[in-house]
Every structure is written in C-alpha cells, then in structure tokens.
Amino acid sequence: MSSTSAPLIHLPDVSDAERDETCDEITRMAAGLPSIEILVGTAELARCAPLLSGDGLLTRAEVLELIVPIVETLFDPRATVGIRFHAQLIVMLNFPSIPESLALQAAFGRRAGEAQFRKIARLANRAERRGLSLDEYIEALASADEIPRDIPLRLFLGEIDRKPDAARIATAVALLRRSSALAVDPLRPSIFCALGWLMWAQGKRALGVGYLSEALRIDPDHAEAAGMLFHIGSHQPAWVRHDVKR
C-alpha cells in the first residue's frame, strides 16, 4: 500500500535523465543476480580483494563484510560517487537491517559497522536454521525482548554517551539525500530510515521524524520506519542530552 498525498520533505533536484539512468542501473543489477558488482573507492580495494578472489558464490557473511568498504567509500575524498554508486546504495539499503547498519557506521566509524554486520550475519544464519526470514526472526526476538543488547544496539538506541562523528554524518546525509532523489518512490522509505536516524543522532529530532513520516506516507506498512519513528519520537540520544545539560 502506498500514499498519494503530498511529500513531507524536500529532496535535491535531479534531472529526469539522471533518475532514468539510476533506474536502468538498478534494473541491470537485478538482472545480474546472484552475481553482484561491487563499486568501492581505491582505498578500499585491498580490503575487498581477499573476498573477491575466489570462484564460487560469496556467503551471506562475506556479502555483509563487503558492505563495510562500500560504506567507507562514502568518506573517501578521492572516490567518485556517481550514478552507478548511488544505484548500488539504493539497492543495498533496501535489504533488511542495512539502513540501521549504514547509519551506525556513518556515525561511529568502520569498527562499529564491522561489529554490526557480524551480528547481522549471526542472526541471519539463525533465522535460516529456523526457516524464517531475517525480518521475521528479528521481529520474533523483539516480541520476546530477546534481542542482544550489545554495544552496536545500545549505540543505535542512543543509550551510550559517545558522540558520533559530525563530519561523517554530514557527508552521509548529503549523499543519501541525493540517492533518495534519484530513487523511485517505492525504494525511498528504507533510505529515509537511515536519514531519519542520522538526523536524530545530530540532535535534529524534528527532521528525523519528518524523514520517517515521509517513509510511512509512501509505505504505511513499512515496519522498520514505524519502529524507528516510535523510538526517535520519544527519545533523545544520550550524547545530545549530555550536551544540553552542559
């Protein structure tokens, strides 16, 4: 289900030709599955090489491990972030748990991303053994209040007074806003989830709520956006509360 009401947020201007090119790239990527093409900056190539040197299909854990250098490429001043890279981001962000993980890595750095993706790989393997999708398994854990309260989760919930990297967040927000502008409406809600959290992490809770509300305007059944909106709308991160007190 989707809504046809007016958009709640303003996105950067992109041309119809740029949006069409992005759609063509996404279609090409989908047609090539299960083979995948990885675009990363030069600085990240060495980290990817060991994973891409084999002949067989990558495991789920290996695919998740590759997402870390993709995200780090956002912060490489020498990297060219063009239409193909934005298409890759759009596709990537529409997989379960990736918006949260990308936002966490953008805010707190590579190590936070690596820890989060290792956790996702473990959860995905457990879900598969139970015959569930990752989303179904996480929902079951949440209902039973059994999601491990590890450091990545506590950072994501804003429970730890550790300030995020403001420059990385600003870079990620600018690039994800352009990705959103290049994406068609059905692919935008998951990108807005990442943007909503990043705004909240900056202490801009109203803007975070705006992005998540826009995600739900497009897709009222988007569970990820609904859950994040509930949390963001009622909490400030510990690092923001600490700054206010000072």
Side-chain angles (χ1 to χ4, degrees):
M1 181 186 299
S2 62
S3 172
T4 57
S5 56
L8 302 173
I9 60 172
H10 171 73
L11 292 174
D13 291 331
V14 297
S15 69
D16 289 341
E18 289 174 314
R19 192 173 289 115
D20 287 344
E21 185 180 349
T22 305
C23 288
D24 290 343
E25 282 294 328
I26 291 172
T27 300
R28 185 183 62 79
M29 290 177 190
L33 293 174
S35 296
I36 56 173
E37 181 182 56
I38 303 296
L39 300 177
V40 297
T42 304
E44 295 295 326
L45 282 177
R47 294 179 182 270
C48 297
L51 291 172
L52 300 175
S53 59
D55 296 328
L57 291 176
L58 298 175
T59 66
R60 179 188 291 109
E62 288 170 334
V63 171
L64 290 171
E65 191 175 341
L66 281 171
I67 294 176
V68 173
I70 292 173
V71 175
E72 285 304 301
T73 297
L74 298 173
F75 311 106
D76 181 354
R78 296 166 296 176
T80 300
V81 180
I83 293 293
R84 290 176 65 203
F85 194 92
H86 280 288
Q88 178 178 254
L89 274 181
I90 293 165
V91 171
M92 188 175 82
L93 282 161
N94 275 274
F95 283 93
S97 299
I98 302 304
E100 301 99 320
S101 301
L102 182 149
L104 198 66
Q105 183 176 337
F108 295 106
R110 175 186 287 277
R111 289 187 178 180
E114 290 170 341
Q116 178 70 353
F117 284 117
R118 285 195 297 269
K119 174 182 175 179
I120 294 174
R122 289 194 301 271
L123 292 174
N125 287 334
R126 294 172 191 169
E128 187 174 19
R129 290 198 297 270
R130 290 162 174 78
L132 300 172
S133 69
L134 179 58
D135 281 345
E136 290 170 337
Y137 183 53
I138 291 176
E139 184 177 347
L141 289 176
S143 298
D145 196 25
E146 293 179 353
I147 294 180
R149 297 189 70 79
D150 52 14
I151 296 299
L153 178 61
R154 295 188 63 213
L155 280 172
F156 186 77
L157 294 176
E159 296 177 350
I160 298 176
D161 188 8
R162 173 184 164 190
K163 285 192 70 108
D165 187 314
R168 283 174 65 98
I169 289 181
T171 297
V173 165
L175 289 169
L176 290 175
R177 277 176 47 79
R178 178 160 171 79
S179 292
S180 301
L182 291 167
V184 293
D185 254 9
L187 296 178
R188 286 176 172 170
S190 292
I191 312 174
F192 290 153
C193 285
L195 281 164
W197 188 91
L198 289 168
M199 292 295 182
W200 176 74
Q202 289 179 302
K204 301 175 182 178
R205 183 163 60 178
L207 285 174
V209 167
Y211 277 103
L212 294 168
S213 298
E214 174 67 359
L216 289 169
R217 183 194 70 83
I218 296 171
D219 181 1
D221 299 319
H222 201 283
E224 190 175 25
M228 289 178 66
L229 181 59
F230 175 79
H231 181 74
I232 284 175
S234 57
H235 297 79
Q236 287 276 32
W239 54 84
V240 172
R241 296 196 304 270
H242 181 79
D243 281 350
V244 169
K245 288 178 182 177
R246 287 191 301 181

